[in-house]
Structures are given as structure tokens and as C-alpha cells.
Amino acid sequence: MKRIVILISGRGSNMEAIVNACAAEQWPAQVAAVISNRPDALGLQFAAARGIATGVVDHKQHASREAFDEALAQAIDAHAPDLVVLAGFMRILTPAFVARYDGRLINIHPSLLPAFPGLHTHRRAIEAGCKLAGATVHYVTAELDHGPIIVQAAVPVQPDDSEDSLSRRVLVQEHRIYPMAVRWIVEEALEVSGNRVTHRRGESQLVN
Ligand code: GAR
């Protein structure tokens, strides 16, 4: 059984999708813990109600990014994870933290990377006149919102889309592709070579 630790900062709907898929599809894995940098993160309640260990490492209680990341790493390592999943975890991580989890740290970002790293992705996609938006699951590297791409979902931008309406449609796809990516990893179905991630049995890594 692979052990998964999920990091959240808020609502935790992607975490919920992973927890539900793990149980429903009987992955060879368990979500060992859900950890937040915010004590009031809504997702903690869902995780606790499912009997999953929860933890808080409050970034406001740490004087530096390094000190926070060290405390976070200790909280994570207490659960001996095979995979660490960033699911709406809104902190920039230090290179030392990223190196510690090299190859077993993944993230979801609400854009078609490498377009629109950072914040306000949907607003920026609309302002740029993009006809296609989406979401990306990728391995985490030291560069923010970069790293080998595991799966992407493409979502057309409608002429009358607002930031809200577009983000809602993208989120539906996030809830499809994030569990899919985690399952592929726990099933050891992926091969990584440089920036290229391929599925050994050729499953489509583009959802639309
Ligand atoms: C999701 O849309 C996720 O892609 C985004 O935050 C949201 C979290 O929602 N992540 C980032 O922007 C990371 N750069 P959730 O808490 O309901 O899963």
C-alpha cells in the first residue's frame, strides 16, 4: 500500500476527489494524512470526518520560509509518504523542500502550463483572449508551477465567460485529472524522462 500525504490551504475539493476515488476504485494506496498551513482550512473537516489524520503547520508561526518548510517536512515525514500531493496548497516552497521530495511531489495548477504560472490564471487567460484554458498536473521542481507534465485537461473559453464561470468549468476537470494522475503514480504506470512523462500502457494524458 502506497502512502499519500495531501497538503491543502483551503476548500480542499481536489483532496476530496482524490480521497473519494482512492476508496471507490480501491487503489493500492491510502491517504495517510491531510496537512494544512491554515488552521481554518475547510478541507480539514472533510478529512477528519473520513477518519484521516489531519495536521496544521501554520506558516504564521514560523519566522522564515526555511523554518516553515522544515516544520512542514517533519509533519509530512511522520506519515512516511510515498507521494506528497499539493492540492490548492498556496505556499511557495523552498528549493530544499522540493529537493527532499524529488520525484514524489506533485501539484495541480489551473492553467495549461507553461502558460500562466502564478495567481489569477482564469482572469489572465480571459484577458489574453485565449480560446482554450484548462488545468495541469505536474511533478514539482524548484521553479514555481513548472515541472514534468503528467496530465492536462483542456477547457474551451466561451465568449461570455467570467473568471468565476471559467474557474467552475476548469474545476470539474481538475476533479477528473488529479485522481487520475495520483492513481497512475500509485500503480507505477508512469515513466519520467527529463521533462517528458509517459504512461506505460499509453493512456491518454490529455482530457477534453
Ligand atoms: C484549485 O483550482 C487548484 O488548481 C488551485 O487552487 C484551487 C484549490 O481548490 N491551485 C493553485 O492555484 C496552485 N498554484 P481546492 O482547495 O478546492 O482543491
Side-chain angles (χ1 to χ4, degrees):
M1 286 283 265
K2 293 267 183 352
R3 298 174 61 80
I4 302 168
V5 168
I6 306 180
L7 306 189
I8 63 170
S9 292
R11 179 177 57 186
S13 69
N14 277 290
M15 174 272 296
E16 270 189 44
I18 292 165
V19 167
N20 286 337
C22 181
E25 297 168 9
Q26 300 185 320
W27 297 351
Q30 76 178 101
V31 178
V34 173
I35 299 173
S36 173
N37 63 307
R38 292 186 178 277
D40 58 352
L42 262 183
L44 290 173
Q45 296 170 18
F46 169 87
R50 287 299 186 90
I52 297 167
T54 59
V56 174
V57 181
D58 187 344
H59 61 279
K60 292 189 187 132
Q61 304 291 323
H62 296 274
S64 66
R65 237 178 239 294
E66 287 72 20
F68 168 71
D69 278 9
E70 185 53 40
L72 181 62
Q74 281 176 24
I76 293 169
D77 290 349
H79 298 281
D82 299 287
L83 180 65
V84 178
V85 173
L86 306 179
F89 187 69
M90 305 306 274
R91 300 295 302 169
I92 291 173
L93 298 163
T94 57
F97 182 95
V98 172
R100 184 175 189 139
Y101 298 103
D102 186 34
R104 53 189 178 119
L105 180 61
I106 63 172
N107 181 45
I108 190 160
H109 184 73
S111 78
L112 291 175
L113 290 174
F116 308 120
L119 298 174
H120 310 301
T121 53
H122 305 301
R123 188 196 309 167
R124 287 156 65 206
I126 291 169
E127 280 171 6
C130 292
K131 308 303 176 215
L132 200 56
T136 304
V137 179
H138 64 98
Y139 283 101
V140 174
T141 59
E143 196 179 345
L144 178 70
D145 296 329
H146 267 77
I149 291 172
I150 297 168
V151 57
Q152 291 187 304
V155 175
V157 181
Q158 306 297 345
D160 59 350
D161 256 333
S162 64
E163 193 177 349
D164 254 23
S165 62
L166 181 57
S167 74
R168 273 199 300 275
R169 292 207 314 286
V170 171
L171 191 66
V172 171
Q173 299 306 318
E174 292 186 43
H175 296 163
R176 291 177 66 196
I177 62 172
Y178 215 179
M180 194 183 284
V182 175
R183 179 167 55 81
W184 288 343
I185 292 170
V186 300
E187 290 175 352
E188 299 182 0
L190 297 179
E191 214 157 297
V192 186
S193 169
N195 256 331
R196 293 175 66 94
V197 182
T198 48
H199 191 285
R200 290 184 213 280
R201 295 185 305 278
E203 279 198 38
S204 175
Q205 291 164 260
L206 169 63
V207 167
N208 53 15

